Amino acid sequence: MREPKITALANLGVQMRSKDMRIPMPFEDFLKLAAQEPDRIFRDIFQLFYDMVYYYISEGNPENPQEMTRYNFNNLFVKECDNPFFTDLLFANRFLKLTNGFKKGVQNNHIFLFEGPPGSGKSTFLNNLLQKFENYTQLPEGTTYQTYWRLDVKKLGGISRVERVLAEVAEQNGNTELNSYSLFNQDYLQFACPSHDHPILHIPKSYRIQFLDELIPDDSFKLKLFSEREYEWVFRETPCTICSSLYASLLNILGDPMAVFEMLYVRKALFHRQYGEGISVFNPGDPLVERPIKSNVIQNMLNELLKTDEVNYVYSGLAKTNNGIFALMDIKDHNVKRLMHLHGIISDGVHKVELIEERIKSLFVGLVNPADKSHYENVPSFRDRIITVSVPYILDYNTEVSIYRNKFGKNLEAYFLPGVLENVGKIIVSSRLNKESPAIHKWIAEPERYHKYLDKHSLLLKMEVYTGKIPAWLSEEDLKRFDKKIRKAVLAESEQEGNKGFSGRQSLNIFNELLAKYVKTEKLITMDMVGQFFMKQEALKDQLPEGFIESLVDMYDFNVLQEMKESIYSYNQSHISKDIQNYLYAINFEEGDKVTCHYTGDTFVIDEDYFYNFEALILGPGVDYDEHDEFRESTHGEYVSTTLAQEIHLEGKTITDTQLYLSLFDKYKRNLKENTLVPYLHNDNFRRAVLDFGTNSFNAYDKRIKQDVSSLINNLQKKFRYTEEGAKQVCIYALDKKLPEKY
């Protein structure tokens, strides 16, 4: 019986070999694979990067067409990352716009700089991105292939007996210049292309179209291959100088291209940041090394085997990231010189190594602080080659709260009343926004209608848009005005925001202080506590827009009141339905008539009070008689022309399925709920019953109060995530602040 440790090691070996297969395959086998899976095989670095991003992210559908599509980036930037990076909706869409450009093949000759202030998480973002890219290339979905040469020594003439003896003597004497000869005791000379050439490039350019047309059976893919810009590289690019000169030399010796292809193999491309293979990352302090890379061993072997020195085995460090990623961490110190050195390479894709022109196509990326842009801004030709993507401080309060959860624990909400934790995020985000918003002013024609809970700069509204949501408290008119043009204008303003205010590091320190001050108290953290925390510290208060916290409290109060109304309100749906059906039947008759409604079977006498009392529930209190008459006349006209004539008689609907009925039902219900808390505002018994809920003393109250308080507390827990103690706490808060009177 095998020992457990040995068995475990053997199993590990099998798993690792199956996942990380590195054995080269013949070129012919590669072509068979290309014919079967062309979408996966024909990818350059930009297409591979695009596929990597969409492999990790997932898309969520917006709740209505006016809202932005949300993307879940957790698998890309959070899961299995040592330091998670949380993306808000704004950055997510910027990043995807850039990524989609890669797929289209329109942004290849550029360097992509991610710009943001210190503390915005740029380094974390790039490190996680590179980590996931490396991980992806190790998966079957992310596998790409590169050229691998396997030169048959015997077919190329081998070496003489005298050379073998000299090689053995040299090896015994430790002569490294000649030591490589001894390797010819092997049957093959093998090495990978230093520039990671795609194997298909070895088909001569003039033959590629016809060859691929015959090779690939999938007509739909061939249509993309021959017509779309993202695949232009397949027909335009050539192998590196090492591979092309080697191919020419082999052809001279063998005389047959097929014989050359028999020595051409393909290996899985390796991406390894630590070794600078496929991914190279440079910090500002890393020393500059510009000398060419050579291998005397391989060079001597090639010279002796091919009997020529035409194959010059020399390349630069940039070749190691050809068809890979070259990254600069901060444009300062030595990285400024590296950036300047990339100018010609990015523009023309050519790099000079001694006398050789090296073709380089890499994904060049970097990080930059706004203060460091001066290093390249004054170079006009360089500006055209730089695409900047803003990485500001978080502008989505939900994402800000996600950062707190990650840092302080997933059960963070347990310390706060519902909604209060999100409001902490809003306070932090408010410091990062510009006060003036021309787009919001153009959108909201009458901002004063929201003065009871919206701040004077409309930052609370902008924050909701930045989360991808359109708040329900907006009027129908303003909801309709929020078209694509307005949304685009509002979102465009985010490009100029997030470069000031509390940084990511500062916000964590502030939140830690808040927790330390209040988390040990018996009560949950309330909005009052949060407001006092920020308003009593001048260093914090000075960074916040004037009056913002007061408006935030007003908005919180408004939302709490709506939650309480929803929780205590109960209505008899059958009773409301009968009232509406009777009214719709009654408006066809005159005052004083006694009618029997054929919808409900109810018999009643019609008078002015009957009409007025029902209409008051729909129109609200304080509406004059003229408006009642106008409403009645309008309703009667719609009932006769649309409800009866079209929906009931032509479409066969019942009265309760018609648009008029449904509209009246919604307004009736909404107005009933609106006034549901008014009777309890000055009722001391109700307040005491809330405090006594859950105790024996609660049984002493009358049936109606017990029923209403029980519904209120229980529904707050079920519908709005309150604990029992939190529900009681927020009810007392609302009653003591007289919120029903406030709104």
Side-chain angles (χ1 to χ4, degrees):
M1 182 175 178
R2 301 183 67 182
E3 294 184 15
K5 290 184 179 178
I6 298 176
T7 303
L9 187 60
N11 291 337
L12 177 63
V14 171
Q15 294 175 21
M16 291 180 68
R17 281 195 297 273
S18 63
K19 181 179 179 181
D20 193 20
M21 186 64 68
R22 301 188 182 190
I23 299 175
M25 72 173 78
F27 185 54
E28 185 177 353
D29 290 349
F30 168 76
L31 293 177
K32 292 178 183 177
L33 187 62
Q36 296 168 359
E37 303 179 54
D39 275 304
R40 188 167 68 88
I41 297 302
F42 293 100
R43 294 187 293 183
D44 64 0
I45 178 58
F46 297 96
Q47 293 163 304
L48 181 65
F49 185 89
Y50 172 92
D51 288 346
M52 181 274 298
V53 170
Y54 278 93
Y55 174 81
Y56 284 113
I57 70 170
S58 57
E59 180 178 324
N61 295 322
E63 293 181 5
N64 68 64
Q66 290 178 306
E67 295 176 354
M68 295 176 64
T69 302
R70 295 197 67 88
Y71 297 90
N72 188 335
F73 276 74
N74 283 349
N75 287 334
L76 183 60
F77 292 126
V78 177
K79 189 177 180 181
E80 298 177 357
C81 294
D82 293 336
N83 295 303
F85 175 80
F86 293 89
T87 58
D88 62 15
L89 184 65
L90 301 167
F91 177 74
N93 279 272
R94 285 189 211 110
F95 180 70
L96 287 183
K97 182 179 180 181
L98 177 72
T99 302
N100 293 337
F102 291 166
K103 179 67 171 176
K104 296 174 183 176
V106 297
Q107 297 178 338
N108 295 1
N109 296 330
H110 293 85
I111 182 169
F112 305 93
L113 297 183
F114 295 90
E115 177 190 345
S120 64
K122 301 187 302 296
S123 298
T124 302
F125 153 74
L126 187 53
N127 281 323
N128 292 358
L129 184 66
L130 295 177
Q131 174 193 328
K132 287 303 175 73
F133 178 79
E134 184 175 332
N135 294 348
Y136 176 70
T137 61
Q138 297 169 7
L139 301 173
E141 295 85 351
T143 298
T144 54
Y145 297 92
Q146 67 180 70
T147 297
Y148 187 88
W149 290 102
R150 195 167 186 260
L151 307 183
D152 191 314
V153 174
K154 290 183 180 179
K155 288 184 178 180
L156 293 172
I159 60 174
S160 68
R161 181 175 177 277
V162 174
E163 289 172 325
R164 290 184 183 279
V165 172
L166 288 174
E168 292 172 0
V169 172
E171 184 176 16
Q172 293 171 2
N173 295 333
N175 187 333
T176 57
E177 286 295 315
L178 301 176
N179 194 30
S180 60
Y181 294 158
S182 64
L183 295 177
F184 278 116
N185 290 321
Q186 304 295 324
D187 294 329
Y188 299 95
L189 168 58
Q190 306 180 76
F191 60 91
C193 169
S195 294
H196 315 107
D197 279 348
H198 193 285
I200 203 64
L201 300 185
H202 295 289
I203 302 297
K205 289 174 67 173
S206 58
Y207 295 99
R208 283 182 204 166
I209 292 178
Q210 179 181 348
F211 178 79
L212 292 174
D213 188 29
E214 295 174 357
L215 176 70
I216 300 171
D218 186 343
D219 290 334
S220 62
F221 178 80
K222 282 195 290 190
L223 180 62
K224 294 190 297 181
L225 180 66
F226 296 140
S227 62
E228 295 186 6
R229 186 169 180 177
E230 65 179 289
Y231 292 105
E232 284 184 357
W233 65 271
V234 175
F235 307 101
R236 187 182 66 244
E237 294 181 7
T238 57
C240 72
T241 54
I242 295 174
C243 290
S244 57
S245 60
L246 177 57
Y247 179 93
S249 295
L250 291 173
L251 190 59
N252 288 336
I253 296 172
L254 300 171
D256 181 3
M258 293 307 297
V260 177
F261 288 141
E262 288 178 359
M263 298 186 187
L264 177 61
Y265 277 65
V266 174
R267 190 181 74 177
K268 177 181 177 180
L270 305 180
F271 293 84
H272 203 303
R273 171 178 174 173
Q274 186 176 1
Y275 301 142
E277 193 68 43
I279 304 172
S280 290
V281 181
F282 295 94
N283 291 304
D286 294 339
L288 293 168
V289 179
E290 297 183 5
R291 63 177 180 272
I293 300 174
K294 301 181 179 182
S295 171
N296 290 330
V297 172
I298 294 179
Q299 186 67 68
N300 290 334
M301 293 167 70
L302 287 171
N303 291 349
E304 293 300 321
L305 184 60
L306 302 175
K307 305 298 187 289
T308 179
D309 59 359
E310 291 180 358
V311 179
N312 193 357
Y313 192 85
V314 58
Y315 58 95
S316 73
L318 285 169
K320 294 175 74 66
T321 55
N322 186 50
N323 262 317
I325 300 178
F326 183 100
L328 300 176
M329 290 286 190
D330 288 334
I331 308 302
K332 57 180 63 174
D333 300 337
H334 291 317
N335 277 350
V336 176
K337 296 179 181 178
R338 287 191 178 94
L339 179 65
M340 294 299 113
H341 182 60
L342 292 177
H343 181 274
I345 300 169
I346 294 171
S347 299
D348 305 320
V350 176
H351 178 231
K352 200 78 170 178
V353 184
E354 294 183 340
L355 298 177
I356 294 171
E357 281 193 348
E358 192 174 58
R359 293 282 176 180
I360 299 295
K361 184 180 74 172
S362 302
L363 173 52
F364 295 103
V365 299
L367 306 178
V368 62
N369 292 319
D372 296 326
K373 293 171 67 175
S374 59
H375 295 307
Y376 59 83
E377 276 189 320
N378 296 325
V379 183
S381 60
F382 213 168
R383 286 203 305 267
D384 296 338
R385 294 297 178 181
I386 291 178
I387 293 179
T388 302
V389 181
S390 178
V391 190
Y393 301 137
I394 295 297
L395 299 179
D396 177 345
Y397 64 85
N398 289 322
T399 305
E400 183 74 19
V401 171
S402 295
I403 295 173
Y404 302 155
R405 289 195 195 97
N406 177 71
K407 185 72 175 179
F408 299 99
K410 294 181 179 179
N411 64 336
L412 198 57
E413 277 93 347
Y415 300 117
F416 294 82
L417 283 174
V420 175
L421 178 57
E422 287 77 8
N423 282 347
V424 176
K426 290 179 182 179
I427 293 172
I428 295 296
V429 168
S430 73
S431 70
R432 303 166 179 170
L433 299 178
N434 296 331
K435 294 179 182 178
E436 295 303 317
S437 174
I440 295 287
H441 292 323
K442 185 177 181 180
W443 170 23
I444 306 297
E446 300 177 27
E448 57 274 7
R449 72 170 64 181
Y450 309 115
H451 74 279
K452 287 186 177 181
Y453 44 79
L454 185 61
D455 62 290
K456 64 180 180 180
H457 301 296
S458 299
L459 298 183
L460 286 168
L461 174 56
K462 178 181 279 191
M463 285 183 194
E464 295 300 326
V465 177
Y466 282 1
T467 67
K469 298 287 185 180
I470 308 301
W473 43 261
L474 285 175
S475 68
E476 287 294 327
E477 178 187 354
D478 288 332
L479 283 172
K480 290 178 181 177
R481 285 169 54 84
F482 189 71
D483 54 20
K484 289 183 179 179
K485 186 176 181 181
I486 290 291
R487 180 173 67 182
K488 185 177 181 180
V490 175
L491 296 179
E493 293 182 352
S494 69
E495 296 286 346
Q496 309 302 321
E497 297 179 308
N499 294 311
K500 62 180 181 65
F502 300 123
S503 71
R505 300 186 189 99
Q506 286 176 315
S507 69
L508 288 175
N509 291 334
I510 293 168
F511 193 82
N512 187 48
E513 291 178 19
L514 175 68
L515 283 182
K517 183 171 184 178
Y518 293 117
V519 81
K520 293 182 180 179
T521 60
E522 293 182 2
K523 293 185 176 182
L524 299 174
I525 299 176
T526 68
M527 197 60 229
D528 284 343
M529 295 176 184
V530 171
Q532 291 173 12
F533 175 81
F534 281 94
M535 295 303 288
K536 289 185 177 181
Q537 297 187 59
E538 291 298 324
L540 302 182
K541 181 181 177 181
D542 290 346
Q543 293 211 52
L544 302 177
E546 183 182 356
F548 178 79
I549 287 186
E550 291 85 349
S551 295
L552 183 62
V553 171
D554 289 341
M555 179 70 80
Y556 172 78
D557 289 350
F558 175 79
N559 289 331
V560 163
L561 183 61
Q562 305 315 306
E563 291 172 351
M564 290 184 65
K565 287 178 178 179
E566 181 70 27
S567 298
I568 197 173
Y569 169 64
S570 62
Y571 62 90
N572 188 314
Q573 184 165 335
S574 175
H575 178 76
I576 296 175
S577 180
K578 279 191 172 186
D579 279 356
I580 296 172
Q581 292 178 69
N582 287 338
Y583 175 79
L584 290 176
Y585 189 76
I587 56 178
N588 297 284
F589 297 91
E590 300 293 333
E591 291 182 25
D593 290 347
K594 182 178 181 180
V595 300
T596 299
C597 177
H598 71 243
Y599 296 128
T600 66
D602 292 346
T603 300
F604 51 92
V605 177
I606 301 172
D607 57 20
E608 182 59 32
D609 286 342
Y610 170 81
F611 285 129
Y612 188 88
N613 291 337
F614 176 87
E615 290 158 0
L617 288 168
I618 303 298
L619 300 173
V623 177
D624 60 33
Y625 281 96
D626 289 341
E627 290 186 62
H628 277 260
D629 292 339
E630 184 180 342
F631 172 81
R632 196 178 311 155
E633 183 178 344
S634 172
T635 303
H636 181 253
E638 183 176 352
Y639 174 76
V640 172
S641 63
T642 303
T643 304
L644 276 179
Q646 182 174 327
E647 294 182 279
I648 293 178
H649 290 159
L650 291 180
E651 299 175 16
K653 291 183 178 180
T654 64
I655 184 65
T656 55
D657 289 329
T658 63
Q659 288 298 316
L660 180 57
Y661 169 89
L662 293 173
S663 174
L664 291 175
F665 189 94
D666 181 64
K667 291 176 181 178
Y668 193 124
K669 186 175 69 172
R670 191 188 316 151
N671 286 338
L672 273 180
K673 184 171 68 174
E674 194 65 31
N675 299 309
T676 190
L677 283 172
V678 173
Y680 306 112
L681 187 59
H682 302 288
N683 189 328
D684 290 336
N685 276 344
F686 185 82
R687 186 182 188 281
R688 286 194 295 269
V690 170
L691 291 171
D692 289 338
F693 181 82
T695 69
N696 292 331
S697 301
F698 185 69
N699 295 325
Y701 295 92
D702 65 54
K703 181 179 179 180
R704 179 61 188 270
I705 285 184
K706 284 196 296 183
Q707 180 180 333
D708 288 347
V709 170
S710 296
S711 294
L712 178 59
I713 301 298
N714 291 330
N715 284 331
L716 282 171
Q717 294 178 75
K718 291 178 183 178
K719 296 181 178 181
F720 301 107
R721 302 179 292 116
Y722 286 88
T723 62
E724 181 180 308
E725 186 56 39
K728 292 166 66 174
Q729 196 173 330
V730 80
C731 288
I732 298 302
Y733 171 86
L735 292 171
D736 289 350
K737 290 193 73 171
K738 296 181 173 57
L739 295 189
E741 286 186 356
K742 183 177 180 180
Y743 298 102

